[in-house]
Amino acid sequence: MTSRRKFIQGAAAAPVAAAALATPALAQGTIRWRMQTYAGAALAEHVITPAVEAFNKIAGDRMQIELFYADQLVPTGELFQAMQRGTIDAVQSDDDSMASPTDVTVFGGYFPFASRYSLDVPVLFNQYGLNEIWDEEYSALGVKHISAGAWDPCHFATKDPIRSLADLEGKRIFTFPTAGRFMSQFGVIPVSLPWEDIEVAMQTGELDGIAWSGITEDYTVGWADVTNYFLTNNISGAWAGSFFANMERWNELPEDLQTLFRVCCDQSHYYRQWWYWGGEAALRVNGPKLELTTIPDEEWQTVEDAAQEFWEEIAAESDVKRRVVDIIKQYNADMVKAGRPYRYT
């Protein structure tokens, strides 16, 4: 009100006053968002905190984002509903973990063998059409899908060594819903728990292992302290996750703040590309805590072949899922034809 009184003092200030009165009320004070990530505090220091800090520093008193970690405001499985209602303004998660009621949810997180490398994910979204499909699905539900990016590959970290498919039989594993659904055919028993409870569950024997990340996260969040072995065979080459926002909150932002938010999301995606890629290799070579094990290629091929059948099972569930599966199939076929370094056959 003080600013408005100053604006309307004097004839010279009249045009400025008119402009100020025409400005939406939201823009006359600091815009404040609450954002929750799927990640706990230790992991968030890498996968989201730097991007939010950069945004807040640049936006200044125009906009500030308050970041919350896994399950702090709502359980991860309720993130979508909270964002849709406006209880939370923005979310960083994969579709699968936050239980999005869309036909693309099954492809979030680790869709078995959809990717070989982390760069596959942004190419699928930005060059092969997944962005458009995600936009259609989320816009219909009042949520803005802002951008998707890649995280680490999915590996097993376990108490006991896994050197054959038979060793997976009966193992209680914390993993993503779709990955668990797929791996259950090989005897894995998927277990769902709050993210922050995993370390204790490993110590008490409630879990036999974790298939939620690569080795970088195992070390970063403390899981390497409660597991003994790391299986080098992976279920998928990269976790696919996104930034989302409540559609009304997003539309209220001035265009330059929308652009800034997108740029900071892209910076976060870029940071993870090299942090995970370098970390996975460095910790396999130099990490002192986990012994590496491997299932022979010819035996693991059984799992990769089963993924192709799983894709068709998913595709049969809806037209949207068929569109996504067809894109994934076409992309991977193109990579094989492209040869090295895209695919080694």
Side-chain angles (χ1 to χ4, degrees):
M1 292 299 295
T2 300
S3 297
R4 287 178 60 187
R5 282 194 292 270
K6 288 181 179 178
F7 281 145
I8 61 178
Q9 289 174 354
V16 179
L21 291 171
T23 301
L26 187 63
Q28 294 180 26
T30 300
I31 301 168
R32 298 192 181 278
W33 272 18
R34 298 200 301 176
M35 180 178 189
Q36 184 169 313
T37 176
Y38 75 98
L43 182 60
E45 284 301 313
H46 292 279
V47 302
I48 183 59
T49 299
V52 170
E53 288 179 345
F55 180 93
N56 288 341
K57 183 176 182 179
I58 297 170
D61 60 6
R62 294 188 63 203
M63 181 171 176
Q64 291 290 294
I65 298 172
E66 185 177 7
L67 179 64
F68 296 88
Y69 304 130
D71 305 314
Q72 279 194 320
L73 292 179
V74 298
T76 297
E78 298 176 13
L79 277 176
F80 179 87
Q81 294 178 351
M83 175 173 48
Q84 189 181 41
R85 290 193 306 265
T87 305
I88 299 172
D89 302 294
V91 165
Q92 180 202 40
S93 178
D94 69 279
D95 318 72
D96 207 18
S97 294
M98 69 177 189
S100 299
T102 75
D103 273 354
V104 299
T105 295
V106 69
F107 302 104
Y110 292 116
F111 191 63
F113 299 99
S115 62
R116 178 75 61 89
Y117 308 116
S118 57
L119 277 174
D120 292 337
V121 173
V123 174
L124 277 163
F125 274 86
N126 294 305
Q127 295 186 2
Y128 275 71
L130 293 192
N131 267 336
E132 289 74 14
I133 298 175
W134 260 245
D135 182 70
E136 293 170 9
E137 289 291 299
Y138 282 98
S139 294
L141 297 173
V143 168
K144 177 65 177 178
H145 177 258
I146 297 167
S147 67
W151 274 248
D152 48 344
C154 184
H155 293 262
F156 285 85
T158 54
K159 286 183 178 178
D160 300 323
I162 305 296
R163 296 190 172 93
S164 70
L165 291 179
D167 292 335
L168 291 172
E169 186 71 35
K171 294 293 189 294
R172 294 161 297 177
I173 304 293
F174 171 66
T175 189
F176 290 84
T178 301
R181 173 181 168 182
F182 171 68
M183 290 302 298
S184 63
Q185 66 186 291
F186 299 100
V188 169
I189 301 172
V191 177
S192 178
L193 291 170
W195 191 89
E196 294 288 358
D197 293 347
I198 304 311
E199 187 170 346
V200 173
M202 286 296 305
Q203 292 172 312
T204 61
E206 186 177 355
L207 290 173
D208 299 305
I210 302 161
W212 202 85
S213 70
I215 199 170
T216 307
E217 286 190 20
D218 291 335
Y219 274 81
T220 301
V221 306
W223 293 340
D225 298 323
V226 293
T227 55
N228 301 313
Y229 299 93
F230 179 83
L231 181 64
T232 60
N233 309 79
N234 60 326
I235 299 173
S236 193
W239 187 81
S242 298
F243 290 93
F244 305 88
N246 175 279
M247 186 68 80
E248 290 184 8
R249 299 290 82 76
W250 177 258
N251 289 337
E252 288 170 351
L253 291 184
E255 186 177 357
D256 63 332
L257 288 180
Q258 290 182 350
T259 300
L260 176 59
F261 193 90
R262 288 185 182 277
V263 168
C264 290
C265 290
D266 287 343
Q267 186 277 332
S268 178
H269 294 320
Y270 172 68
Y271 180 101
R272 280 180 272 100
Q273 285 281 347
W274 61 260
W275 183 65
Y276 278 122
W277 186 256
E280 295 298 302
L283 287 170
R284 287 192 190 196
V285 175
N286 303 310
K289 297 179 180 179
L290 296 174
E291 180 180 337
L292 305 184
T293 63
T294 300
I295 296 175
D297 288 344
E298 58 274 15
E299 188 176 0
W300 190 251
Q301 188 62 48
T302 303
V303 183
E304 296 199 27
D305 292 343
Q308 301 295 319
E309 298 178 10
F310 184 74
W311 290 3
E312 291 304 314
E313 176 186 331
I314 296 297
E317 294 176 353
S318 76
D319 291 340
V320 171
K321 292 178 181 179
R322 166 55 66 188
R323 288 169 62 194
V324 176
V325 167
D326 285 348
I327 287 173
I328 292 172
K329 290 171 65 177
Q330 183 62 58
Y331 174 77
N332 279 279
D334 289 348
M335 295 300 102
V336 170
K337 290 179 182 177
R340 297 170 183 263
Y342 299 95
R343 292 292 185 267
Y344 293 78
T345 57

